[in-house]
Amino acid sequence: QLIADVMTLVERKGAIEKLIVAWSGDGNNVAHSWIHAAAGFGFELRLACPKAYAPDLDVVAAARKNGAKVILTERPDEAAAGADCLVTDTFVSMGDDNAETRRADLAPYRIDSKLMNKAAKDAVFLHCLPAHRGEEVSAEVMDGPQSAVFDEAENRLHAQKAILLWCFGI
């Protein structure tokens, strides 16, 4: 997924090492992938997560040891300020048995037009899909002009083909 995300970001914004990416929501496995990507590609990553949903601090420490600029905050507006890209993931995943609690805890981390307005004027929105409009992202952002989610979804195919070629040494 992250290869497709990075591909989409480069298509939309150019050189990735100069960018600021802001994550808002659960510090889950997708957030961890963004943390690893920050170390590998050199962009600044700001993660806004409630304390109870923070990313694994060992993952953050390892990325920082490898040169990643990772900033942790509990304030989505702080993470989004001037960012080139806002990204999130579903607030409730398959197997989560505390859906209502998660929705309530993460609601202040929803990406909506107010949060997008804190980002750079030409910022893009990414989400690995499927998204739940009104939950982790508002419909106006998901379906708006700054959304790159459908390019991102298409790029998953291209990224997966490239990975297969790499695996086979072609």
Side-chain angles (χ1 to χ4, degrees), residues 37-57:
F41 291 103
F43 58 85
E44 179 178 318
L45 178 63
R46 302 174 187 163
L47 295 109
C49 309
K51 190 174 283 189
Y53 298 86
D56 185 316
L57 296 181

Side-chain angles (χ1 to χ4, degrees), residues 136-156:
E136 70 272 5
V137 60
S138 67
E140 68 215 18
V141 170
M142 176 74 180
D143 301 318
Q146 292 175 282
S147 178
V149 298
F150 296 115
D151 290 343
E152 180 184 13
E154 177 188 359
N155 284 340
R156 286 178 74 173

Side-chain angles (χ1 to χ4, degrees), residues 1 22-23 77 110 133:
Q1 177 63 51
W23 174 273
D77 59 329
R110 175 180 301 118
R133 287 171 178 83

Side-chain angles (χ1 to χ4, degrees), residues 6-7 30 38-39 41 52 61 67-68 78 81 85 105 130 143 154 157 160 164:
V6 168
M7 180 179 174
V30 180
F41 291 103
E78 187 177 283
C85 174
D105 292 348
D143 301 318
E154 177 188 359
L157 173 64
Q160 290 165 358
L164 283 172

Side-chain angles (χ1 to χ4, degrees), residues 9-29:
L9 201 48
V10 169
E11 283 178 344
R12 291 288 183 108
K13 304 295 291 176
I16 194 165
E17 62 275 358
K18 300 175 192 282
L19 300 180
I20 299 170
V21 175
W23 174 273
S24 187
D26 186 4
N28 62 15
N29 61 321

